Amino acid sequence: MNKPSILSLRAAGLISTLSLAAGLSACSDGGSPEPQPITKAKITNVNYLDAVATGAVALERLGAMQASRSLALPLVEQTPGQLPCPKGGTVGLSRNGKERVFTVSNCQLEQITLISGSYSISYDSSVLNAEHRFQALNYRMDGDIAVETLDGKFTSKTDNSNSSEDGELSVLRNGKTDRYSAYSLRASLAAGGQTTLSAKLVAARFELPLTVSMSMSANPNTNGQLTLTAEDQSNLRSGKAADGRDIFELRGTPGDPSIETLYPQKAELDAALKRART
């Protein structure tokens, strides 16, 4: 059974990045300012859209990583040289021992164009158990005008029942770098199996480190569950209202009952996306 594509997350009603530079500071009444501790705001009903957007863009960027992987895997045993991409552009394949290096040139795929840079795979007996590396891979998502640059690495392992990936990456956009550590993906290969992914985020456009996690079912009629957690364990979970609207449940800690259910308007989500893409 094929593992669900992370690119499908873009169609799951999730929004993309946003930023809010909010922090609390204080100084003395006179003379030289005295250093004061900065209180990190947890996820609240004020900054939740920023948190959602930060997590959503992380998932989109993981999708860019997966798109490169999906392009390359069927080509690893091809004769080295220039190969056509599915919708235009080319990818050059070279070999160095157990390593296959793919160098892209305006390689057009579904929802993404890989403009330049390279992606490599190193493996012994099976490409499903391999090391993957991205070096200055420049890409653009369809509908976006900015180019993003992906660097990173991960390892993949597959047995008869499960597939897994572990690694880290960074993405440069408009002079700002976001870093994603502890990337983990686990997929059951059984019929109807679940796929879960998670990563720790330090984003230039959001003040708080976050952990993003997503669970997905092979059933296309089942919505994925997005959860965002701050360092203080305050967290936000996505859901769907009966009328199909996106909702988000705010909690103090993962085990707490919902503090508040939030119903963002489409205009708010659209504005968040626009600000995020600056």
Side-chain angles (χ1 to χ4, degrees), residues 38-114:
I38 297 175
T39 302
K40 289 281 188 180
K42 61 184 180 179
I43 301 175
T44 68
N45 59 3
V46 175
N47 68 2
Y48 81 99
L49 282 176
D50 305 271
V52 170
T54 301
V57 80
L59 297 177
E60 181 179 271
R61 288 166 170 176
L62 293 173
M65 187 173 74
Q66 289 293 327
S68 306
R69 181 179 187 269
S70 298
L71 167 71
L73 285 184
L75 304 177
V76 292
E77 298 303 330
Q78 293 280 346
T79 301
Q82 291 297 119
L83 305 171
C85 291
K87 301 181 70 176
T90 61
V91 55
L93 168 61
S94 61
R95 294 186 183 184
N96 181 17
K98 66 179 183 179
E99 183 181 53
R100 273 67 168 167
V101 179
F102 298 86
T103 304
V104 296
S105 178
N106 293 316
C107 180
Q108 297 177 39
L109 309 174
E110 291 292 335
Q111 301 181 327
I112 184 173
T113 298
L114 306 178

Side-chain angles (χ1 to χ4, degrees), residues 97-213:
K98 66 179 183 179
E99 183 181 53
R100 273 67 168 167
V101 179
F102 298 86
T103 304
V104 296
S105 178
N106 293 316
C107 180
Q108 297 177 39
L109 309 174
E110 291 292 335
Q111 301 181 327
I112 184 173
T113 298
L114 306 178
I115 300 168
S116 62
S118 66
Y119 165 57
S120 63
I121 307 174
S122 300
Y123 66 97
D124 292 317
S125 58
S126 172
V127 72
L128 298 178
N129 298 291
E131 296 180 356
H132 307 256
R133 190 175 297 272
F134 304 84
Q135 294 182 302
L137 184 64
N138 297 304
Y139 69 90
R140 182 189 299 110
M141 301 301 295
D142 288 0
D144 200 355
I145 60 173
V147 173
E148 299 186 335
T149 302
L150 169 67
D151 288 278
K153 60 184 179 179
F154 71 93
T155 58
S156 62
K157 297 180 181 180
T158 301
D159 56 29
N160 291 332
S161 57
N162 298 287
S163 177
S164 67
E165 297 176 2
D166 295 278
E168 59 187 12
L169 65 148
S170 65
V171 175
L172 172 68
R173 179 189 176 96
N174 291 340
K176 297 179 180 179
T177 299
D178 295 340
R179 304 189 185 280
Y180 308 111
S181 62
Y183 160 63
S184 171
L185 185 145
R186 300 290 182 268
S188 169
L189 303 182
Q194 289 278 328
T195 297
T196 60
L197 67 85
S198 63
K200 294 182 179 180
L201 320 179
V202 177
R205 295 169 176 83
F206 188 65
E207 69 204 350
L208 299 174
L210 295 171
T211 296
V212 59
S213 60

